[in-house]
Amino acid sequence: MATFINEPSHTFGEYLLIPGYSSTDCIPANVSLKTPLVKFRKGEEAPISLNIPLVSAIMQSVSDDGMAVALASEGGLSFVYGSQSIENEAGMVARVKSYKAGFVVSDSNVSPDATLGDILALKERTGHSTVAVTEDGTPAGKLAGIITSRDYRVSRMPIDMQVKDFMTPYSELICGNEQTTLKEANDIIWEHKLNCLPVVDKNDRLMYFVFRKDYTTHKSNENELIDASKRYMVGAGINTRDYAERVPALVEAGADALCIDSSEGFSEWQRITLRYIREKYGDTVKVGAGNVVDREGFRFLAEAGADFVKVGIGGGAICITRETKGIGRGQATALIEVARARDEYFEETGVYVPICSDGGIVHDYHMTLALAMGADFMMLGRYFARFDESPTKKVNINGSYMKEYWGEGSARARNWQRYDLGGDAKLTFEEGVDSLVPYAGTLKDNVRMSLSKVRSTMCNCGALTIPELQQKAKLTLVSSTSIVEGGAHDVMLKDSRQIR
């Protein structure tokens, strides 16, 4: 007879934190969000730790090399999506590892024959006002000039006027070269009162831009997640089919951590994949596994050699696994049980295997709840998909900007490997949807705002570190009426536009 668990499973929205004693030291500036990414032995430091407890989901619509650089600059880690060719994924990883902080590859490029209309359309699409003019219109073409908003006035110029007739030509530009350091580039910018400095190679081909506005940005990024060579750190997704070819390519490209991307991790396929990595690389290659929702699933993967374990099935915003298959568990209940299993395993073996909460984060306060319930860090998809740095297009829907966001189990992604059960190499039915999410701006601004809320709540609980929060937190289930009471109610909200 089937095993029945009669207690209902719960998700984050059904819990609240109860405040604890806060000393005078409990101020947000004193809170540390550093957390282990991979397993370690008792009394030792984790080989890799995050400076903030956020990683981006292994999804086409979320994690490419651009997202990886942006998130690493804030202290988190991206797992570049694996539902692409091995060569493309390894290329993204290599670009992150070779990225020179402050040196920006141009994403706004035209040829001299383009028109003012093309410039305006490009600016609308990218939001960037500096456009590189290269002979072939590519980011690495021979530099012919640049265009900024100071080079044209829409009201006084025909829309079909060609770029070559109003750009600032190469002969009038001050440029850096292959040997120019970031410090030297910034010195040139300040000395000549420039907004940006093009950097070209010996054949006058564009390599990078260095922008004046980025100087203070990089000075303020104290949380950057970098390796021993001061390169940004990056993760990469793998699957249980082509791991023997994909893993070596990603390791060669410089990936700092790997993660098996699967909708359900309690399977022999994951143990086989982990065994291959351990036999070939020992403990030098760090790899996470999952997803699981109970104690047995965690123990299976921990004993199989996973460096961290992902928790969550069916809780993602674009996931319909529960709807199509009836498989899953409320995220809070799953996380609480797996956290207990992790602590039991640590007591028994002296090995701490971090857990990652994957899915179910709707509001910022859910992040704090997830940490309090035992998560070492969180994997987020919808959250990051809303930002400028995600790889999807920004579209205007009825006057509001949105970003495209689709699941790996959708017909658009067709990532059958993620749902592989050893059968035919195809996606038999969808377990994800194709959707839109409200555009939210830059990653930096949003992440810093979200984490300021986390730090403030931790202070309310009397905790200055994540382990301290997990030890001191008091959580209570709430009724449906309590949830209503928790928001604005019994008032008429003002519309600021009506106030004069």
Side-chain angles (χ1 to χ4, degrees):
M1 185 175 178
T3 299
F4 288 89
I5 299 174
N6 291 321
E7 293 182 4
S9 64
H10 300 283
T11 193
F12 297 131
E14 297 174 75
Y15 285 90
L16 288 174
L17 283 157
I18 296 175
Y21 167 72
S22 300
S23 71
T24 55
D25 291 330
C26 283
I27 59 174
N30 290 340
V31 172
S32 169
L33 294 178
K34 188 172 183 178
T35 190
L37 176 73
V38 298
K39 66 184 178 185
F40 59 94
R41 291 195 170 276
K42 189 174 184 178
E44 298 178 356
E45 289 286 326
I48 303 175
S49 291
L50 304 169
N51 290 328
I52 61 173
L54 304 180
V55 301
S56 66
I58 312 169
M59 301 176 70
Q60 293 175 12
S61 55
V62 178
S63 297
D64 65 351
D65 48 316
M67 175 61 71
V69 168
L71 185 51
S73 71
E74 293 302 313
L77 187 79
S78 281
F79 284 90
V80 172
Y81 71 92
S83 53
Q84 58 179 321
S85 71
I86 294 172
E87 294 74 20
N88 285 350
E89 185 180 12
M92 286 187 179
V93 169
R95 284 196 292 275
V96 177
K97 299 308 293 185
S98 63
Y99 181 83
K100 298 169 69 176
F103 290 82
V104 180
V105 176
S106 176
D107 68 350
S108 299
N109 311 282
V110 296
S111 69
D113 294 329
T115 65
L116 175 59
D118 295 325
I119 295 294
L120 298 177
L122 188 61
K123 183 178 180 181
E124 173 71 16
R125 188 168 71 250
T126 66
H128 300 155
S129 58
T130 299
V131 178
V133 184
T134 59
E135 290 187 354
D136 58 3
T138 66
K142 189 171 183 178
L143 188 62
I146 65 170
I147 292 174
T148 70
S149 57
R150 294 181 299 180
D151 290 311
Y152 59 87
R153 291 187 66 178
V154 177
S155 62
R156 296 191 177 186
M157 296 165 58
I159 203 72
D160 59 353
M161 187 174 184
Q162 290 189 311
V163 163
K164 61 186 177 185
D165 294 326
F166 63 91
M167 69 182 184
T168 300
Y170 179 65
S171 60
E172 297 179 16
L173 295 176
I174 297 172
C175 297
N177 57 45
E178 293 172 278
Q179 282 72 47
T180 303
T181 67
L182 183 59
K183 182 181 185 305
E184 291 169 341
N186 281 311
D187 287 343
I188 294 170
I189 287 172
W190 287 103
E191 180 182 349
H192 295 276
K193 299 181 179 179
L194 306 174
N195 285 324
C196 69
L197 178 76
V199 177
V200 298
D201 65 15
K202 60 184 178 181
N203 297 313
D204 296 331
R205 299 180 70 86
L206 180 63
M207 298 174 65
Y208 309 104
F209 276 119
V210 178
F211 291 94
R212 172 189 287 263
K213 65 181 176 62
D214 286 344
Y215 177 79
T216 52
T217 299
H218 291 290
K219 281 290 184 182
S220 65
N221 283 351
E222 297 178 354
N223 274 337
E224 285 182 325
L225 191 65
I226 54 178
D227 63 18
S229 301
K230 296 188 177 181
R231 302 175 300 174
Y232 282 138
M233 300 186 76
V234 60
I238 62 173
N239 61 67
T240 57
R241 281 274 181 144
D242 65 7
Y243 56 85
E245 295 79 34
R246 191 173 293 269
V247 170
L250 295 173
V251 171
E252 177 67 22
D256 297 284
L258 306 176
C259 185
I260 302 173
D261 183 24
S262 174
S263 65
E264 203 279 295
F266 196 175
S267 77
E268 188 64 19
W269 304 111
Q270 295 221 1
R271 178 152 56 187
I272 292 169
T273 304
L274 290 167
R275 183 188 304 136
Y276 162 82
I277 293 173
R278 293 295 170 242
E279 289 177 352
K280 185 174 177 65
Y281 299 101
D283 288 328
T284 61
V285 171
K286 307 303 179 184
V287 55
N291 288 19
V292 298
V293 292
D294 63 5
R295 178 182 182 276
E296 289 75 17
F298 170 84
R299 296 284 304 208
F300 174 81
L301 291 177
E303 291 167 0
D307 284 293
F308 64 85
V309 173
K310 286 205 297 157
V311 181
I313 295 176
I318 41 67
C319 184
I320 55 172
T321 294
R322 297 181 193 174
E323 181 180 331
T324 57
K325 296 170 65 175
I327 291 285
R329 198 175 195 185
Q331 186 66 12
T333 299
L335 184 57
I336 291 167
E337 180 172 325
V338 172
R340 286 174 179 154
R342 174 204 57 202
D343 294 343
E344 289 173 6
Y345 188 80
F346 182 50
E347 287 296 317
E348 292 174 20
T349 66
V351 176
Y352 187 92
V353 181
I355 58 175
C356 168
S357 180
D358 181 15
I361 301 292
V362 180
H363 305 293
D364 286 347
Y365 81 91
H366 289 172
M367 295 181 184
T368 320
L369 287 171
L371 295 172
M373 290 173 182
D376 295 284
F377 57 97
M378 293 154 281
M379 179 172 280
L380 306 172
R382 180 197 63 85
Y383 179 83
F384 288 115
R386 303 171 302 145
F387 304 150
D388 288 319
E389 294 82 1
S390 74
T392 64
K393 290 187 291 187
K394 184 171 70 172
V395 296
N396 191 315
I397 305 293
N398 298 325
S400 297
Y401 281 111
M402 312 287 284
K403 291 274 283 186
E404 294 180 315
Y405 178 47
W406 60 91
E408 289 296 292
S410 67
R412 183 171 184 175
R414 304 206 68 79
N415 182 6
W416 62 268
Q417 295 95 332
R418 188 176 197 275
Y419 304 89
D420 182 28
L421 295 174
D424 294 336
K426 64 179 183 179
L427 189 69
T428 306
F429 56 88
E430 291 183 88
E431 292 191 45
V433 298
D434 198 341
S435 67
L436 297 166
V437 290
Y439 167 67
T442 67
L443 178 145
K444 177 182 69 175
D445 291 342
N446 283 276
V447 164
R448 293 186 180 186
M449 175 59 74
S450 296
L451 294 182
S452 70
K453 297 175 185 177
V454 172
R455 291 186 177 94
S456 179
T457 306
M458 287 174 63
C459 288
N460 292 144
C461 296
L464 294 177
T465 66
I466 292 172
E468 191 177 9
L469 174 68
Q470 292 166 351
Q471 181 184 19
K472 292 184 174 181
K474 292 183 289 184
L475 294 122
T476 180
L477 276 168
V478 296
S479 68
S480 57
T481 305
S482 296
I483 294 172
V484 173
E485 184 183 67
H489 62 91
D490 301 317
V491 295
M492 180 180 293
L493 297 179
K494 292 181 178 179
D495 185 339
S496 59
R497 292 171 297 180
Q498 296 176 346
I499 300 174
R500 295 290 185 267

